[in-house]
Amino acid sequence: MNARKGNLMNVRDDIKVLDATIRDGGLCCNFDFSDEFVTELYKTNVRCGIDYMEFGYKASKHVFSEKDFGKWKFCSEEDIRAIVGDNKTDLKIAVMADVGRCDYKTDFLPKEESVIDMVRVACYIHQIPAAIEMIEHFHRLGYETTCNIMAVSQTNLDQIEQALKMLTETNVDVIYLVDSFGSLYPENASEYARRYLAAVEGTGKKIGFHAHNNQNLAFANTIETLSYGVSFLDATVQGMGRGAGNCAIELLLGFLKNPKYDLYWLLRFIESYMPGLRERDIAWGFDLQYLFTGLLNRHPREAIDFTKKHRKDYSAFYQSLLENE
Amino acid sequence: MNARKGNLMNVRDDIKVLDATIRDGGLCCNFDFSDEFVTELYKTNVRCGIDYMEFGYKASKHVFSEKDFGKWKFCSEEDIRAIVGDNKTDLKIAVMADVGRCDYKTDFLPKEESVIDMVRVACYIHQIPAAIEMIEHFHRLGYETTCNIMAVSQTNLDQIEQALKMLTETNVDVIYLVDSFGSLYPENASEYARRYLAAVEGTGKKIGFHAHNNQNLAFANTIETLSYGVSFLDATVQGMGRGAGNCAIELLLGFLKNPKYDLYWLLRFIESYMPGLRERDIAWGFDLQYLFTGLLNRHPREAIDFTKKHRKDYSAFYQSLLENE
């Protein structure tokens, strides 16, 4: 259980890379991507050998208004098909469903009628029973499923162990370790990963990792957890994601030795389409304000606000966080 | 030998942080820092509990012309004293001496007449005998010494083992593992670190680590190697250093739990003095061009040139590197 799997030179066929750019990056731009951007990213992912592409959230239109968000907040079947057609490729399509913010009983077709392959259920630890109900529903519909337990760094280890035990008794395919606040060091991340891996040993279930870059460790934590057997790896183009962002997919493809992953087409996409986002003042990526919230194991909302205001008074912000501990 | 030292919560008194901003960062700006910048950085380092501050190179004025470089290329005793006086503080002063580019027999005072505490001798593997000659000279003069063996990722392991053996028989105080090309992953870095640590076991000598951030792993590699017992840690303000830069000292201070390290005054320095460097178009830090040279285990000179030209055609650059492998 404690041994590393594989080495730095070989290929591990169990590894799956999931591009979460539209979903986690969508949090930076209110899901407002051009169709051209999403289409070209889809084509790029196909060319680069990426295993899954997450198109966004399947959010409730009763909870959120369609006029307040771009369409990838809702991921209608028609909108996805407008990009991918029938998706006759090796790339699988994923969407995320948040517990409590998704009309899961009405908004999902049976898998054979849908272009979606995988539904990822995101929840906090107290929502595990609700997440399981959703997972079993999606499983019955024929989808691959994941359970992404958020904010584990603020969660009691006993609760995590209990949640893992409950999930191993379900039909979920992948359980994700999620470092929501970017507060884990590689030593912590690998310790969590080993607990998750131990919990699913012998069940055939896989463990995934979703990193945040608050302490500039998203890539390091990803390759550390994968070295112990984590196999589903979330990443985004140039790390685009909420706050400090995620593991950069270009770093991850550089690391993985499987020849099916091709960095070149990803670079073509980056140079053609990513500068346009920055020109729209869409912000993400490591900066000191995220280091502070990561260090303090806090939600990055205050750091995101600091970023949006183009503030640079790092010392005052740091002091204010310490005073509000 | 394989066990981690300490844990993520306690204080390791053997840890020493060396601020290399003026020296490695000097490579980004031809050592052209204002006196105010250097003075304020010195005061900041004192306030923040930093253990060593490297002021620059002690380069030969016969090899390099004083009119081509800022004064920290040469680090005259007078120039350092103009900043630090007699340095009646706990912060120690270091300078770097490159093998073959330093008039070491004439340019160093005996320690009791100098404000310098430590001389760091930088060399490539084939220069170890020359480095040892310099180290013994500096030791006789009364200085602390280090040997920084550069570019180990391109060096045969047998040669490294031989060099380590030779160095253990000298009076050198610290041997540095230097990831010149930023090509090491944490697994590699810790493997090297354990070899270095094993070589000096029982000798009282210490091991240091100097990271480069080509694959955005400078901080991760630093905390990984320190966890196995590396104790001299190089870092720079906002990672300022050649190419992709180094381990950011603010990340490192956030990680270290020793209360003598104070992040607040470092933040004050950063917000006051670092934007001015960026305004002068002085460039450093992670970007894709450095990922490529790191991945390919190559000197970053082509990536630095790419950066200087403000090029953004990453895919063409990547292809050109692959064609010149």
Side-chain angles (χ1 to χ4, degrees):
Chain A
M1 201 273 277
N2 278 302
R4 296 198 197 248
K5 309 289 186 287
N7 58 47
L8 287 171
M9 193 58 69
N10 67 6
V11 165
R12 263 184 40 208
D13 288 325
D14 60 321
I15 298 264
K16 306 293 175 195
V17 176
L18 185 145
D19 168 39
T21 306
I22 304 300
R23 203 273 306 164
D24 212 319
L27 296 168
C28 308
C29 65
N30 216 22
F31 304 92
D32 178 16
F33 295 101
S34 71
D35 286 352
E36 182 185 358
F37 184 97
V38 180
T39 302
E40 291 303 317
L41 179 57
Y42 166 73
K43 288 184 193 167
T44 299
N45 282 331
V46 171
R47 277 177 166 162
C48 293
I50 302 301
D51 300 285
Y52 291 82
M53 175 171 173
E54 191 172 47
F55 270 74
Y57 287 95
K58 196 92 173 168
S60 166
K61 291 176 185 171
H62 298 103
V63 178
F64 301 99
S65 166
E66 283 181 272
K67 68 177 195 299
D68 293 338
F69 297 92
K71 57 188 165 191
W72 305 110
K73 176 84 171 177
F74 305 99
C75 282
S76 75
E77 192 74 24
E78 305 71 51
D79 287 333
I80 300 177
R81 284 190 188 270
I83 305 293
V84 308
D86 290 333
N87 185 36
K88 300 285 184 203
T89 75
D90 292 333
L91 176 73
K92 292 185 178 179
I93 308 292
V95 294
M96 183 162 273
D98 271 344
V99 167
R101 288 180 279 181
C102 172
D103 301 321
Y104 68 94
K105 290 184 181 166
T106 55
D107 282 358
F108 285 81
L109 297 170
K111 165 62 197 131
E112 63 261 34
E113 298 167 30
S114 174
V115 75
I116 296 167
D117 297 286
M118 171 185 268
V119 184
R120 309 210 306 164
V121 176
C123 66
Y124 292 100
I125 197 79
H126 67 279
Q127 298 169 322
I128 287 286
I132 290 174
E133 198 171 286
M134 290 169 68
I135 286 163
E136 296 298 4
H137 178 76
F138 296 131
H139 176 74
R140 281 191 298 272
L141 289 177
Y143 296 102
E144 294 179 44
T145 58
T146 79
C147 185
N148 296 33
I149 313 170
M150 298 184 288
V152 290
S153 58
Q154 286 189 345
T155 304
N156 190 302
L157 269 179
D158 289 346
Q159 290 178 295
I160 293 173
E161 295 283 1
Q162 185 61 34
L164 292 172
K165 187 166 183 310
M166 290 167 74
L167 286 166
T168 57
E169 293 160 6
T170 71
N171 285 297
V172 75
D173 298 296
V174 186
I175 304 172
Y176 261 89
L177 169 59
V178 183
D179 181 17
S180 300
F181 305 144
S183 64
L184 299 183
Y185 293 113
E187 277 187 67
N188 305 124
S190 63
E191 173 60 27
Y192 275 106
R194 283 177 281 182
R195 282 176 192 268
Y196 279 54
L197 288 161
V200 300
E201 206 169 354
T203 65
K205 298 186 191 306
K206 307 291 186 186
I207 300 299
F209 184 64
H210 180 87
H212 277 274
N213 203 35
N214 298 59
Q215 300 196 72
N216 219 13
L217 290 170
F219 173 52
N221 285 344
T222 300
I223 62 178
E224 179 71 3
T225 57
L226 91 82
S227 82
Y228 288 101
V230 167
S231 52
F232 275 69
L233 307 175
D234 284 11
T236 62
V237 178
Q238 293 200 314
M240 185 184 189
R242 183 161 67 175
N246 309 110
C247 174
I249 200 164
E250 55 275 17
L251 286 166
L252 187 58
L253 291 200
F255 176 83
L256 294 170
K257 301 298 177 290
N258 192 330
K260 80 168 180 166
Y261 297 125
D262 184 338
L263 189 54
Y264 178 77
W265 291 104
L266 178 61
L267 300 175
R268 291 284 294 266
F269 177 82
I270 288 172
E271 63 201 20
S272 300
Y273 292 99
M274 296 306 283
L277 297 178
R278 296 291 191 183
E279 284 160 17
R280 286 168 54 197
D281 199 29
I282 297 167
W284 74 91
F286 173 76
D287 200 355
L288 291 165
Q289 61 273 30
Y290 298 112
L291 165 60
F292 309 149
T293 61
L295 267 180
L296 299 172
N297 192 15
R298 280 162 67 145
H299 193 286
R301 64 176 67 84
E302 293 145 297
I304 292 170
D305 183 64
F306 181 95
T307 306
K308 278 195 180 144
K309 290 177 175 157
H310 299 279
R311 286 174 60 181
K312 296 288 176 191
D313 54 330
Y314 301 111
S315 61
F317 179 64
Y318 181 56
Q319 286 290 43
S320 78
L321 287 177
L322 292 177
E323 280 158 22
N324 290 305
E325 267 288 275
Chain B
M1 198 271 275
N2 278 304
R4 298 198 196 247
K5 309 287 185 290
N7 58 46
L8 288 171
M9 193 58 70
N10 68 5
V11 165
R12 262 182 43 207
D13 287 326
D14 60 322
I15 298 266
K16 305 292 175 195
V17 176
L18 184 143
D19 167 40
T21 306
I22 305 300
R23 204 271 307 162
D24 213 319
L27 296 169
C28 309
C29 64
N30 216 20
F31 305 92
D32 178 16
F33 294 101
S34 70
D35 286 353
E36 182 184 358
F37 184 97
V38 180
T39 302
E40 291 303 315
L41 179 57
Y42 166 74
K43 288 184 193 167
T44 299
N45 282 332
V46 171
R47 279 178 164 162
C48 294
I50 302 300
D51 301 284
Y52 291 81
M53 176 172 171
E54 190 172 48
F55 271 73
Y57 287 95
K58 197 90 174 171
S60 166
K61 293 176 186 170
H62 299 101
V63 178
F64 302 98
S65 167
E66 283 180 274
K67 68 178 192 302
D68 294 337
F69 296 92
K71 59 188 165 190
W72 305 111
K73 176 83 171 177
F74 305 100
C75 282
S76 76
E77 192 74 23
E78 305 71 50
D79 287 333
I80 300 176
R81 283 189 188 273
I83 305 292
V84 309
D86 290 333
N87 184 36
K88 300 285 185 206
T89 73
D90 292 331
L91 176 74
K92 292 185 176 178
I93 308 291
V95 294
M96 184 162 272
D98 270 344
V99 167
R101 289 179 278 181
C102 171
D103 300 322
Y104 69 92
K105 290 184 181 167
T106 54
D107 281 358
F108 285 81
L109 298 169
K111 165 62 197 127
E112 62 262 32
E113 298 168 30
S114 173
V115 75
I116 296 167
D117 298 285
M118 171 185 269
V119 185
R120 309 211 304 165
V121 176
C123 67
Y124 292 100
I125 196 80
H126 67 279
Q127 299 169 322
I128 288 286
I132 290 173
E133 199 171 286
M134 289 169 68
I135 286 162
E136 296 297 4
H137 178 76
F138 296 131
H139 176 75
R140 282 191 299 272
L141 289 177
Y143 295 101
E144 294 178 43
T145 58
T146 79
C147 185
N148 296 33
I149 313 170
M150 299 184 287
V152 290
S153 59
Q154 286 189 345
T155 305
N156 188 302
L157 269 179
D158 289 348
Q159 289 179 297
I160 293 172
E161 295 283 2
Q162 185 60 32
L164 292 172
K165 187 166 184 311
M166 289 167 74
L167 287 166
T168 58
E169 292 160 5
T170 71
N171 285 297
V172 75
D173 297 296
V174 186
I175 304 173
Y176 260 89
L177 169 58
V178 183
D179 181 17
S180 300
F181 305 143
S183 63
L184 300 184
Y185 294 112
E187 276 188 66
N188 305 123
S190 64
E191 174 59 28
Y192 275 105
R194 282 177 280 182
R195 280 175 192 269
Y196 280 54
L197 288 161
V200 301
E201 204 169 355
T203 66
K205 298 186 191 309
K206 306 291 187 187
I207 300 299
F209 183 64
H210 181 86
H212 277 274
N213 203 35
N214 297 59
Q215 301 196 72
N216 219 13
L217 291 168
F219 173 51
N221 285 343
T222 300
I223 62 178
E224 180 71 4
T225 57
L226 90 82
S227 82
Y228 287 101
V230 166
S231 52
F232 275 69
L233 307 174
D234 284 12
T236 62
V237 179
Q238 293 199 314
M240 186 184 188
R242 184 162 66 173
N246 308 111
C247 175
I249 201 164
E250 56 275 17
L251 285 166
L252 188 58
L253 291 200
F255 177 84
L256 295 170
K257 302 297 179 289
N258 192 329
K260 80 169 179 166
Y261 297 124
D262 185 338
L263 188 54
Y264 177 79
W265 290 103
L266 178 60
L267 300 175
R268 292 283 297 263
F269 177 82
I270 287 173
E271 62 201 21
S272 300
Y273 291 99
M274 297 306 283
L277 297 178
R278 296 291 191 181
E279 284 160 17
R280 287 169 55 199
D281 199 29
I282 296 167
W284 74 90
F286 173 75
D287 200 353
L288 290 166
Q289 60 273 30
Y290 298 112
L291 164 61
F292 309 148
T293 62
L295 266 181
L296 298 172
N297 192 15
R298 280 162 68 146
H299 193 287
R301 62 175 70 82
E302 294 145 297
I304 292 169
D305 183 64
F306 180 96
T307 307
K308 278 195 179 145
K309 290 176 175 158
H310 299 280
R311 285 175 60 183
K312 296 288 176 192
D313 54 331
Y314 301 111
S315 61
F317 179 64
Y318 181 57
Q319 286 290 43
S320 77
L321 288 177
L322 291 177
E323 280 158 21
N324 290 305
E325 267 290 276

